[in-house]
Amino acid sequence: MRTTIALLVLAGPALAEPSVPVFADETATAGLTTIYQGDWEYMVGGGVATFDCSGDGFPEVFLSGGAGPSGLYWNRSLQGGPLTFEKTDSIALDAVLGAYPLDIDSDGMMDLVVLRHGSNRLMRGLGECRFEDATETWGFDGGDAWSTAFAAIWEKGQDWPTIAIGNYVDRYEEAFPWGSCTDNWLHRPDGTRFAPPIALTPSFCALSMIFTDWNRSGQWALRVSNDREYYKGGQEQLWHLDPGQPPRLYTEAEGWKRLRIWGMGIATADVNLDGYPDYYLTSMADNKLQFLKDPASGKPDYADLAFRSGVTAHRPYTGGDLRPSTAWHPQFADVNNDGRLDIFVAKGNVAKMPDFAERDPNNLLLSAGDGTFVEAGDRAGIASMSVARGAQVVDLNLDGLLDLVVVNRWTPAEVWRQTGEPGGNWVQVRLEQAGPNRNAIGSVVEIRRGAAVERHEIAAGGGHVSGSVGWLHFGLGAAERAELRVIWPDGTAGDWHSLPAGTFHILGPDTGARPWTPG
């Protein structure tokens, strides 16, 4: 019966055509010059991380360079103005596939987890966008693999995070890599250092992973998306992560259904407003949008409603190439501020795979409000034909309009500034708590939208080798205030706040909502 209810919600009456945002291509002037380079060993990866390391509230940009050097860019943009970045000499590592910001030691300065061919690195933030390599100091085993996925969570009672690293094929088996998927790792803390990693066996060439409280039990699980191109007998995975216990897979007896896709990215959001996280999974040819069938059953059994919702995005929608698409980084975001979550997907052929589209534009799927989505990438001005990989949808100049950075293979990263009139109001909040886990990873932000409550898990991970920590952006539509609260990582539900539209606030479990002004 619960499944029927979910379907009825998605099949409601059609609303007006969603407002299409307008983006200006500022690639040539923004100053982001790093190029993701390399041949076969860099066919996956190519991530971007956004986070504030300068302390001014504006997000900096870190770009992976593949076989070339990576680049960290200081955000010099003015509020509402053109996007402007200045390259720094920090973190100029090579062999970088992607990166995720994470304040590992909870000192209030953002650190960066860098995924590489070879040894992964933990870069400790020193302030003013300076970093030092703390991999050995923190006892972290960087390994010697082809690392392509990341997730982190603070387990109960721990002062330091648990970090999951996903690995791809054996990097020394270039000639015959099929079936050579290497183990993923779970790095649990041991005081203020990391214990030796635990192998997550079996592993099936992970390209994305995320911690999620899929059943609202208060116990986070690890969801892993795997590339069927190279594994034998594999599938998508969900791992139990019980405190103090070895990780173990959810089984078919527990309700987990076997699913085999070219898994490349995961995004999660409460799309149908039932209070449980839904999942968008990118792949080759078509993508999945999964809803929990029956939350009361306690089983992780999902229905795929991508076709019904119009988000399979299985072929290019413009450009004349009708071969199947190749999708990488997915992200939920309310791009037009109408109070409904949209979906961005970065697209690009692996290299020259003849059975898949070469001209494969990025998708911008706008929610129509009735459970379906409308393609607007070409009308919004972001239908690039470059070979995309990682991305971030983020407000780079803090004007309340979401902008876009996309990493491409062999050509410069592209950046678009949203310039048109928004479809509605917005509010942005940043979570901050004292002690461990300063950015409150593992919180849930709830927003009241009329009679419904929309839940947002605050996670570190997901996407395709691209992460972000900082301002959380929420579109409000015509509403002049946002009604929201935070359920903090320890399970404590904060007070409901009524925040005026067009404002920034810092939320804390003991400090309430503090207004903040850019500049």
Side-chain angles (χ1 to χ4, degrees):
M1 185 63 182
R2 294 294 182 93
T3 305
T4 303
I5 292 173
L7 290 171
L8 287 173
V9 169
L10 287 171
L15 302 181
E17 176 80 6
S19 173
V20 177
V22 176
F23 289 86
D25 186 347
E26 297 191 348
T27 302
T29 57
L32 300 179
T33 58
T34 296
I35 297 176
Y36 184 68
Q37 304 178 58
D39 295 321
W40 181 83
E41 65 270 37
Y42 295 101
M43 63 181 178
V44 300
V48 51
T50 58
F51 58 101
D52 176 21
C53 62
S54 62
D56 64 359
F58 285 77
E60 271 68 56
V61 172
F62 175 83
L63 297 174
S64 54
S70 58
L72 176 65
Y73 294 82
W74 196 309
N75 192 340
R76 299 295 191 183
S77 309
L78 299 178
Q79 186 182 18
L83 302 178
T84 305
F85 296 89
E86 177 185 338
K87 191 173 185 179
T88 75
D89 58 2
S90 297
I91 323 184
L93 296 170
D94 62 2
V96 173
L97 294 122
Y100 290 82
L102 187 72
D103 189 355
I104 295 169
D105 58 355
S106 299
D107 65 352
M109 289 179 283
M110 195 62 65
D111 311 310
L112 196 65
V113 180
V114 182
L115 305 181
R116 301 176 67 241
H117 261 295
S119 180
N120 300 317
R121 314 310 291 169
L122 302 185
M123 306 302 296
R124 179 172 178 253
L126 303 175
E128 296 183 342
C129 292
R130 295 176 296 112
F131 293 83
E132 67 178 9
D133 192 331
T135 310
E136 282 73 32
T137 302
W138 288 343
F140 187 82
D141 184 351
D144 183 20
W146 184 345
S147 295
T148 48
F150 164 91
I153 196 72
W154 268 257
E155 295 189 72
K156 289 182 172 61
Q158 296 294 335
D159 291 343
W160 278 45
T162 291
I163 293 176
I165 299 290
N167 296 314
Y168 206 49
V169 298
D170 186 340
R171 61 190 295 252
Y172 298 107
E173 291 287 341
E174 181 175 346
F176 301 102
W178 288 271
S180 69
C181 296
T182 55
D183 280 337
N184 302 328
W185 304 317
L186 189 72
H187 299 260
R188 277 176 156 158
D190 182 9
T192 56
R193 290 171 59 87
F194 288 95
I198 301 168
L200 294 174
T201 305
S203 294
F204 302 121
C205 289
L207 287 179
S208 191
M209 50 177 46
I210 195 166
F211 286 106
T212 177
D213 185 5
W214 67 270
N215 57 358
R216 294 185 59 178
S217 66
Q219 180 57 52
W220 293 70
L222 178 65
R223 179 147 190 175
V224 185
S225 197
N226 300 307
D227 183 4
R228 66 177 293 176
E229 184 75 15
Y230 292 103
Y231 63 63
K232 292 182 178 179
Q235 58 173 300
E236 300 294 280
Q237 295 172 303
L238 184 68
W239 291 85
H240 290 275
L241 195 71
D242 300 322
Q245 299 297 315
R248 59 187 176 88
L249 280 169
Y250 277 84
T251 65
E252 291 187 18
E254 295 175 283
W256 183 250
K257 295 294 193 298
R258 182 179 178 86
L259 175 64
R260 302 175 75 243
I261 60 174
W262 287 275
M264 295 175 174
I266 305 173
T268 178
D270 181 12
V271 180
N272 63 354
L273 302 182
D274 67 351
Y276 290 83
D278 311 308
Y279 304 93
Y280 192 77
L281 311 176
T282 55
S283 181
M284 299 172 74
D286 72 327
N287 306 290
K288 311 295 181 184
L289 180 57
Q290 293 190 329
F291 297 92
L292 192 62
K293 287 183 179 178
D294 183 4
S297 72
K299 294 183 177 181
D301 186 8
Y302 289 87
D304 176 23
L305 299 184
F307 180 78
R308 189 184 187 98
S309 303
V311 295
T312 54
H314 56 284
R315 281 194 175 90
Y317 54 90
T318 188
D321 195 332
L322 299 181
R323 289 172 292 180
S325 280
T326 305
W328 298 91
H329 179 88
Q331 191 170 339
F332 286 103
D334 186 355
V335 181
N336 55 8
N337 286 336
D338 64 359
R340 302 191 295 264
L341 288 170
D342 312 305
I343 305 173
F344 171 80
V345 185
K347 292 280 192 68
N349 197 299
V350 174
K352 294 289 184 181
M353 296 188 72
D355 293 334
F356 292 86
E358 285 190 59
R359 296 176 58 77
D360 201 359
N362 304 320
N363 296 103
L364 183 60
L365 299 157
L366 300 178
S367 172
D370 61 351
T372 65
F373 293 76
V374 177
E375 179 60 65
D378 48 353
R379 290 177 288 161
I382 63 167
S384 170
M385 298 297 175
S386 297
V387 183
R389 288 297 186 266
Q392 280 298 309
V393 184
V394 60
D395 185 0
L396 291 169
N397 60 357
L398 301 189
D399 63 353
L401 303 178
L402 291 173
D403 309 304
L404 178 62
V405 180
V406 178
V407 174
N408 301 310
R409 285 195 79 183
W410 306 304
T411 58
E414 293 174 289
V415 58
W416 290 270
R417 176 169 63 99
Q418 191 175 162
T419 59
E421 291 296 322
N425 294 323
W426 56 271
V427 72
Q428 298 197 54
V429 301
R430 192 173 75 209
L431 306 186
E432 187 177 282
Q433 61 180 9
N437 190 10
R438 289 288 297 269
N439 300 110
I441 304 301
S443 294
V444 173
V445 176
E446 294 187 330
I447 305 175
R448 277 199 293 237
R449 299 191 186 277
V453 174
E454 180 179 298
R455 289 170 56 91
H456 294 261
E457 292 185 339
I458 308 306
H464 182 67
V465 291
S466 300
S468 181
V469 172
W471 294 107
L472 306 171
H473 170 277
F474 302 105
L476 302 179
E480 296 183 355
R481 306 189 72 84
E483 305 294 327
L484 60 81
R485 71 170 179 174
V486 181
I487 301 174
W488 296 94
D490 64 1
T492 301
D495 295 331
W496 284 95
H497 300 286
S498 179
L499 306 179
T503 61
F504 296 82
H505 282 79
I506 300 172
L507 306 184
D510 303 315
T511 58
R514 294 181 286 127
W516 181 89
T517 302

